[in-house]
Amino acid sequence: MTRTVLSDLSGIARLPESPPQLPAAHRFERTIEALSMLAAVLALIAAALLFAAPAQAQSASEPLAGFTTDRFPDTERTIVGLPASGLTTAPALIDALAANRLYFDANTRQVYFTNEAGAVFDARTGQAAPGVTTTGLKRVRLNNAVRRALDATRGALTLMSPDPALRKAAAESVFKSRDATALPLVETALGRETIAANKRALTEARAAIIASDSKAEEVARLEAIEVLRARGDQDASGILSGVAASGSGRIKAAAESGVAAIQGRLALWANVQNVWYGLSLGSVLLLAAIGLAITFGVMGIINMAHGEMVMIGAYTTFVVQEWIRASQPGLLNYSLFIAIPLAFLVTGAVGVLIERLVIRHLYGRPLETLLATFGISLILQQAVRTIFGANNREVSAPGFMSGSFDLGPLSIGHGRMWIIVFALMVFVALQLVLRATSFGLRMRAVTQNRRMASSMGIDTNRVDAMAFGLGSGIAGMAGVALSQIDNVSPNLGQSYIIDSFMVVVFGGVGNLWGTLLGAVTLGVANKFLEPIAGAVLGKILLLVFIILFIQKRPRGLFAQKGRAVEA
């Protein structure tokens, strides 16, 4: 520019002299005109020299110039343009801005950022900036629009990350933001991606952007709508609802059809989710009721202290974990494997003690037995309060019971899944004990006809004690499982005692298969009633149903058979 101006100036210096024939007035006007042009050229030269250095300084940081204006729209535009700027420091700048650690110099228009330790770095090169402190710098400010741009740009910048998990997370971030400026990066990343799950996430992110873009071609938008329809979750439904509201013609019809299909699919999966939750609740009810089915079925005892056996099992788990945490912390992940047999032995021993000291004197007197076991439950609750206090106690879950995994839209927690597996294992083990051992044979004989079993030489008193101990021990193992999903407190058992009696009565007193079916049925029914009637009213409706059911079938779904029962 300076060379051009000097060339013009030399041309002006060689202006032809005024013809001698012109009057003096004309020559004076031409001289004034030439001097004016010379002054203008000199002014241009001065301006060029004055602004040459600042312009060079600003061009050096041109992709970041918007950070130095202290205006939110400029900051937002600069953030959006970072992925295409080619700056290697772009991820660091995004993180610094999100943490309020991005600064600029109002005089030199240079941008800096600091790390967590407070060291200052040049925003363009990423090199340390010695001698620069944040004292004389201004902080780049944030508002909600800038934060939204930060989220979208962070996703776009990690689309090219070498970490597959980060790439997938970035694709999901772009899907939610639907930032049109990220479309070129998404398409580039889609062409490079080799992992199927990540490729699908990028395809869905691209579809979300195109479907929401009213300026995109109709064919491309229709294809994008089909991709979102195939995704089939609530996020895709929300995007298609917005497209249907703003679109017209084929776009509107396709979007509305996609929303209807997704909602129908989600309703189906919601029912599947309720079934899963019902199975989970049913497994808990099975664990709590299966021991009661033995004592109630074999001995005819209405044991109101059965819930306290569950509570003792949960506190046994707590004591085992505290001992392991204090003496053998490396075994903490295996504490449940130690707590399960200990809980069975402890609660089984407590059950045998109760039967020998109290219940054996009350056979044939159901009202007195009910009152006595209710008093025992109060005594056990108060004893636990005295020893451990009234506050809830924490029982940590081992690593294999933490977290969850997705099966389509269905979320399955590891803890609940393992409780279902544990309940089935206890059920199968109990069936083997009753069907394949001499103790089980004697117990079934006493159940069917106590007098005949006694006349055949079976010690019915010993069978009663062992059966009561077995039922109490299984309740203790139920407490181990419940400690992973419920508060360990003195009132833990009271939450399940009524439900346990409902399961036993509904399934058939003393019938384990009836207890299993009753637990699953009531658990699933409860989860389907809760969204409609609420938790409390749902339980009331189930109780009313069971009352009406036992009016028709007093012995439950599977009635016990035998001469004593039929008599």
Side-chain angles (χ1 to χ4, degrees), residues 397-404 413-415 418:
F400 66 89
M401 292 185 68
S402 302
S404 63
H414 291 158
W418 283 112

Side-chain angles (χ1 to χ4, degrees), residues 191-203:
R192 297 179 180 178
E193 188 59 64
T194 57
I195 299 177
N198 290 5
K199 204 174 187 70
R200 183 173 62 253
L202 287 167
T203 302

Side-chain angles (χ1 to χ4, degrees), residues 470-556:
L470 178 62
S472 298
I474 293 174
M477 290 195 296
V480 177
L482 291 178
S483 69
Q484 302 299 304
I485 60 174
D486 207 340
N487 295 324
V488 177
S489 68
N491 299 321
L492 173 64
Q494 295 299 307
S495 305
Y496 297 95
I497 185 65
I498 302 301
D499 290 338
S500 299
F501 274 108
M502 289 170 58
V503 168
V504 171
V505 171
F506 177 66
V509 176
N511 190 296
L512 295 184
W513 286 104
T515 303
L516 173 63
L517 183 60
V520 172
T521 302
L522 294 182
V524 172
N526 187 65
K527 287 303 177 182
F528 273 95
L529 284 174
E530 275 186 5
I532 301 173
V536 176
L537 185 56
K539 283 185 177 293
I540 293 174
L541 292 176
L542 282 178
L543 181 60
V544 171
F545 166 75
I546 291 176
I547 292 173
L548 296 177
F549 178 80
I550 61 177
Q551 295 295 322
K552 186 70 175 177
R553 294 180 63 92
R555 295 178 181 174

Side-chain angles (χ1 to χ4, degrees), residues 72-192:
F72 292 127
D74 292 342
T75 302
E76 184 179 352
R77 282 193 295 270
T78 304
I79 292 171
V80 171
L82 278 178
S85 67
L87 289 176
T88 58
T89 58
L93 295 181
I94 292 298
D95 292 339
L97 182 56
N100 283 316
R101 291 187 280 105
L102 189 65
Y103 302 86
F104 69 94
D105 189 320
N107 297 322
T108 63
R109 302 297 178 184
Q110 292 294 322
V111 183
Y112 303 93
F113 68 94
T114 62
N115 60 12
E116 295 180 356
V120 181
F121 298 87
D122 185 275
R124 183 175 179 81
T125 63
Q127 300 296 321
V132 179
T133 63
T134 58
T135 305
L137 303 178
K138 294 188 66 175
R139 194 189 304 269
V140 178
R141 297 181 300 147
L142 299 174
N143 65 359
N144 290 335
V146 172
R147 290 187 180 92
R148 286 193 294 269
L150 275 175
D151 293 338
T153 304
R154 181 181 282 113
L157 284 172
T158 50
L159 286 172
M160 303 298 181
S161 171
D163 187 348
L166 287 179
R167 294 200 303 271
K168 186 175 182 181
E172 290 292 337
S173 177
V174 174
F175 176 86
K176 293 178 180 179
S177 67
R178 303 191 296 280
D179 182 14
T181 60
L183 183 58
L185 281 172
V186 170
E187 292 178 336
T188 302
L190 186 58
R192 297 179 180 178

Side-chain angles (χ1 to χ4, degrees), residues 69-384:
T69 64
D70 203 22
R71 296 179 66 251
F72 292 127
D74 292 342
T75 302
E76 184 179 352
R77 282 193 295 270
T78 304
I79 292 171
V80 171
L82 278 178
S85 67
L87 289 176
T88 58
T89 58
L93 295 181
I94 292 298
D95 292 339
L97 182 56
N100 283 316
R101 291 187 280 105
L102 189 65
Y103 302 86
F104 69 94
D105 189 320
N107 297 322
T108 63
R109 302 297 178 184
Q110 292 294 322
V111 183
Y112 303 93
F113 68 94
T114 62
N115 60 12
E116 295 180 356
V120 181
F121 298 87
D122 185 275
R124 183 175 179 81
T125 63
Q127 300 296 321
V132 179
T133 63
T134 58
T135 305
L137 303 178
K138 294 188 66 175
R139 194 189 304 269
V140 178
R141 297 181 300 147
L142 299 174
N143 65 359
N144 290 335
V146 172
R147 290 187 180 92
R148 286 193 294 269
L150 275 175
D151 293 338
T153 304
R154 181 181 282 113
L157 284 172
T158 50
L159 286 172
M160 303 298 181
S161 171
D163 187 348
L166 287 179
R167 294 200 303 271
K168 186 175 182 181
E172 290 292 337
S173 177
V174 174
F175 176 86
K176 293 178 180 179
S177 67
R178 303 191 296 280
D179 182 14
T181 60
L183 183 58
L185 281 172
V186 170
E187 292 178 336
T188 302
L190 186 58
R192 297 179 180 178
E193 188 59 64
T194 57
I195 299 177
N198 290 5
K199 204 174 187 70
R200 183 173 62 253
L202 287 167
T203 302
E204 292 167 353
R206 178 179 179 273
I209 295 172
I210 294 176
S212 304
D213 186 3
S214 59
K215 298 179 181 179
E217 295 181 0
E218 184 179 58
V219 175
R221 294 188 74 187
L222 291 174
E223 292 176 354
I225 288 172
E226 286 303 315
V227 172
L228 295 176
R229 178 173 179 164
R231 175 178 171 119
D233 63 356
Q234 198 63 51
D235 290 333
S237 177
I239 295 173
L240 290 181
S241 296
V243 174
S246 60
S248 60
R250 295 173 62 191
I251 298 295
K252 183 179 182 68
E256 289 176 345
S257 174
V259 171
I262 290 174
Q263 291 303 321
R265 192 182 311 163
L266 290 177
L268 176 62
W269 278 106
N271 290 331
V272 175
Q273 185 85 60
N274 283 334
V275 171
W276 166 253
Y277 288 154
L279 291 175
S280 176
L281 176 60
S283 67
V284 172
L285 294 178
L286 176 63
L287 285 172
I290 196 169
L292 187 63
I294 295 174
T295 57
F296 198 16
V298 173
M299 308 169 64
I301 298 297
I302 303 176
N303 181 18
M304 296 301 294
H306 185 76
E308 277 54 55
M309 301 298 106
V310 176
M311 179 256 302
I312 291 174
Y315 273 99
T316 302
T317 309
F318 167 72
V319 171
V320 168
Q321 277 203 358
E322 288 300 302
W323 175 79
I324 290 177
R325 187 176 283 113
S327 59
Q328 300 290 335
L331 297 177
L332 192 60
N333 244 3
Y334 308 97
S335 61
L336 291 188
F337 299 103
I338 302 173
I340 288 173
L342 283 178
F344 178 82
L345 293 175
V346 170
T347 52
V350 173
V352 171
L353 188 64
I354 292 173
E355 195 278 336
R356 291 288 86 185
L357 295 179
V358 179
I359 294 177
R360 66 177 299 188
H361 306 292
L362 301 175
Y363 287 132
R365 298 154 63 184
L367 181 60
E368 286 87 342
T369 304
L370 186 150
L371 292 175
T373 54
F374 179 71
I376 292 172
S377 73
L378 296 179
I379 292 172
L380 291 174
Q381 287 183 44
Q382 190 56 47
V384 168

